[in-house]
Amino acid sequence: MQRIVRVPQDGVPVTEARDVAADPSMGRKFSIKTDVVVVGSGAGGSVVAYEMAKAGKSVLVLESGKYYPSAEFTEHLGDTIHEVYRDQAGQANSTADVLFIEGNCVGGSTVIGACVMHRLNPSVWQDWADNHGLKDLAPDKIAPYTKIVDRWLNVHVNEAHEINATAHKVIQGCERMGFSWRPVERNVKKCALTGHCLAGCPSDRKMSALVTHLPWAAAYGARLFADTHVTRVLERGGRAVGVEAVIRDPKTGSIVSDLRVDAEVVVLAAGAIHTPLIMQRSQLADRSGRIGNGMAVQPFVQVLSTFKEPVYGFRGALTGVQVDEFQDTDGYFFISGLAEPEQLMAVGEQKAGDAHIEFMKSYNRMAGINAFSLDEGSGSVVWEGGLTDGRKVIKWNPSRKEFKDIVRTTALASRILFSAGAERVWLPTFEKMHADSVFDLDDKLRSVDYGINGLYTFRMNTFSPHGSARMGVDPYESVVSPDGEMHDVSGLYVADASLFPTPVAAGPQWATQVFAKYVSDRILARGSNHFLG
């Protein structure tokens, strides 16, 4: 029988570190028993929690980040970075020249995302079915899941009023270059067009997990703990039986309590960085040896430009149009969007002090493009040290091919902006560089040398790591099975971008939620193997 409970009109019922500290029944060490424990509350974890709770299972969701309700968002990115971004947006690779941008809060990266919803090309699903043995991912079989996700998230094509002046500059450039473009699809309902998606949505119009699957799951009785860092999966006789975690005060980092969760099914949905780290800390059996390896990052650079006339690119929807001319052939795509003032500290030649003030005087004349390229999936994540006092190490630097792709995407984005009438393009390089015309652009880019492993060349970012615990048929070549269950540990499932079988030229949230629904159905279909009741 389904258990329906009342939830607040606003927000999500969450147990926080301060609640645990104030409850004598919990104390310094306590345990909880549940049917399903879900690690992570973002795109994948929220979907699994909802599906399991709706099916009548007792569900506990554990989120390492804090609970930051929508009503507290100020639309100032500086505030949000400090509160809900992983490592205050400073999570980086081991050489600190690529930023891995990730939400660290209830709702995960769905809370801070730019709302871009990328459907995977049917050829990608077909490749996974034909060449990776994942027959149930064929386009005709996965289609029902994609339609459900579209309905859940109110995925729609940007209408004319949602395409701002920055996007129109990109359209103008594409028309002159003869490049294909289309409006972005976004997961927003009646967007307020304030342009501050990366700072969180205070009006609950962004269809993040905060306003969709988490409150839906709570309405069916799911429980959610914030500030709860899962240290390891508990395993007995080749079967997952729960997890151990520590609850930390988000302000001080001190441990408030130790938590043990006994569960019949464990679902890891902590993202492509932290899911494999949990697996590594747990020292789980893995015939493939691929846990944490093969990670694709889909690097992107922000290309900024200035125009003679005011553009007011900070008004309206943050993302308007996408350039898809090269997406299927080269794995490149481009999305219009002007960087927030805080982001500009890492872009351009604004320097500091008076020079920075002078630079910012032209902010109303700026427009930008985010240029994405497809990498080869050679990244990795490694946990070094103890369960609670160790550290993550993220390894990814561009190969020569990947470096050339970044140069080319930068050049293409710059040409689009120059074709739209830009008088200057600020190149996204560590060495402060700009081009004042298309004629000196190539010379400037040729001066950016690959050097030592492409280190400190371009200011790269990623929102999209994936493939660090890949799905596949062969347990010697993949980490999880076609059902999403770890090959070597029964009852342990993965439901996030970790399980993508290959690198993809698309933002991951939409596909992650498709996979999460798919994995949820597989768990329930095999219920007699997992659940006693």
Side-chain angles (χ1 to χ4, degrees), residues 226-469:
D227 311 322
T228 305
H229 305 252
V230 172
T231 53
R232 65 185 181 119
V233 174
L234 299 174
E235 177 256 343
R236 186 185 307 123
R239 179 180 178 81
V241 295
V243 300
E244 286 182 348
V246 295
I247 299 173
R248 293 185 183 274
D249 184 316
K251 294 182 179 178
T252 66
S254 60
I255 296 176
V256 171
S257 188
D258 295 312
L259 170 64
R260 176 191 172 104
V261 179
D262 295 302
E264 297 177 49
V265 169
V266 176
V267 181
L268 295 181
I273 293 174
H274 293 275
T275 281
L277 292 180
I278 293 170
M279 288 179 166
Q280 290 170 5
R281 289 198 298 265
S282 306
Q283 299 182 342
L284 301 172
D286 171 36
R287 281 173 283 176
S288 73
R290 294 184 60 87
I291 292 176
N293 294 319
M295 182 177 68
V297 306
Q298 195 181 84
F300 77 93
V301 292
Q302 297 175 328
V303 180
L304 190 70
S305 64
T306 51
F307 289 79
K308 292 181 180 179
E309 72 280 7
V311 179
Y312 302 112
F314 45 83
R315 295 176 179 173
L318 174 64
T319 54
V321 298
Q322 172 181 335
V323 183
D324 57 0
E325 174 77 16
F326 308 92
Q327 191 160 358
D328 293 338
T329 55
D330 301 280
Y332 309 156
F333 64 91
F334 307 83
I335 296 177
S336 66
L338 177 63
E340 293 260 11
E342 292 88 347
Q343 294 173 285
L344 294 182
M345 296 303 294
V347 180
E349 298 177 348
Q350 69 278 26
K351 300 180 181 177
D354 291 342
H356 175 64
I357 292 173
E358 207 51 42
F359 177 82
M360 289 305 298
K361 285 181 180 178
S362 62
Y363 188 51
N364 66 338
R365 297 188 289 113
M366 294 180 186
I369 295 177
N370 294 308
F372 295 78
S373 57
L374 182 67
D375 64 310
E376 299 169 316
S378 60
S380 66
V381 292
V382 178
W383 183 259
E384 296 181 348
L387 290 177
T388 60
D389 61 354
R391 70 185 189 105
K392 65 189 169 193
V393 179
I394 304 172
K395 300 178 181 179
W396 187 88
N397 294 106
S399 67
R400 287 192 177 274
K401 178 187 181 303
E402 291 163 340
F403 176 79
K404 289 179 180 178
D405 285 336
I406 295 165
V407 172
R408 189 177 177 215
T409 57
T410 300
L412 288 168
S414 300
R415 278 173 162 74
I416 291 169
L417 292 166
F418 276 129
S419 295
E423 58 181 8
R424 173 167 290 182
V425 167
W426 309 89
L427 298 177
T429 50
F430 270 86
E431 180 184 355
K432 297 185 183 300
M433 300 173 64
H434 66 263
D436 289 330
S437 75
V438 72
F439 300 106
D440 70 335
L441 173 65
D442 290 338
D443 285 340
K444 291 288 179 67
L445 288 175
R446 272 193 290 269
S447 71
V448 184
D449 184 64
Y450 180 72
I452 302 173
N453 296 324
L455 302 181
Y456 305 104
T457 53
F458 286 92
R459 297 182 182 274
M460 291 173 279
N461 304 271
T462 175
F463 290 134
S464 315
H466 56 277
S468 52

